[in-house]
Amino acid sequence: MRIRIFETPSEGGLYVATLMEQTVLRLDEPVLGLATGSTVLPCYASFVQISMYGLDMSQTSTLNLDEYVGLDSEHPHSYRYFMEENLFRRLPIRPKESYIPSGTADNLDEECRRYEDIISKNPIDLQILGIGVNGHIGFNEPNQSLLSTTHVVDLTEDTINNNEKFFRDTDNMPKRAITMGVQAILRSKQIVLMAFGESKKRAVVNSIEGTIRTEVPASILQLHNDVIWVLDKESASLLDLQMIKGVNV
Ligand code: F6R
């Protein structure tokens, strides 16, 4: 595990954007695992700028972590829409494929199986993650199996409250999502988790210093051999960096 602490989310985001660029440049058929939410925005803004210098995404595939159940791709709050607006349509050369689970599939169980199959055929080289205030990764909420595959999840109160910032009409905010499971996240060759701000400090310290447990899904990342935590001073403020042995800060 490595931990990098930056002054601002923009600096952290730029660092992660360069990791994405290196992955795209290094591999013949790169696969990027992508997240949505406010944390990743500075990273995507930097990646768009970097790509303006001629980064060729035509051999790159992307796989997103999750999608709200009930929102189609045209819905301004769907994660497909988020990705188009904040990344894909801004790139001079779009990715070869950009996979996101469908939140409007007639049969959600079948959609989960279809997505799991896509993940198996496209092993993720670099997985970008944010973290929920409750320690979730993707929408793998606390107290669920840490061995999950793609599944439909009931969002917790914490997650709904955190994500309300994106919804004007909070009554109609979806309460369920399809999420990639923890198993697929752990199979990614490299994982970069970004967390910025006060509100994430407990999730960060519990995940890095606590025991591995279902109450804090991101704690399972302790078992992965190539994880970089990209933090700012606020999100890192509870960490006892002297105590974390073997961590390259
Ligand atoms: C989004 C996702 C979530 C978010 C997390 C943080 O695709 O999978 O795990 O990364 O909820 O959200 P923000 O960045 O909005 O605080």
Side-chain angles (χ1 to χ4, degrees), residues 35-39 65-66 79 130-132 136-138 162 165-166 200:
T36 56
S38 46
T39 307
L65 285 165
D66 37 26
Y79 283 165
I131 187 170
H136 73 209
I137 45 176
N162 183 62
K165 61 192 175 214
F166 294 109
K200 301 290 171 75

Side-chain angles (χ1 to χ4, degrees), residues 119-171:
I119 300 167
S120 316
K121 291 184 176 135
N122 295 275
I124 298 170
D125 297 299
L126 172 65
Q127 175 65 57
I128 306 297
L129 296 176
I131 187 170
V133 287
N134 60 6
H136 73 209
I137 45 176
F139 278 139
N140 293 282
E141 297 284 39
N143 303 315
Q144 297 176 355
S145 167
L146 292 178
L147 293 174
S148 57
T149 54
T150 303
H151 61 286
V152 176
V153 61
D154 291 323
L155 301 175
T156 63
E157 220 38 51
D158 280 338
T159 300
I160 292 169
N161 292 339
N162 183 62
N163 289 6
E164 268 181 3
K165 61 192 175 214
F166 294 109
F167 286 80
R168 226 175 293 143
D169 178 8
T170 50
D171 287 347

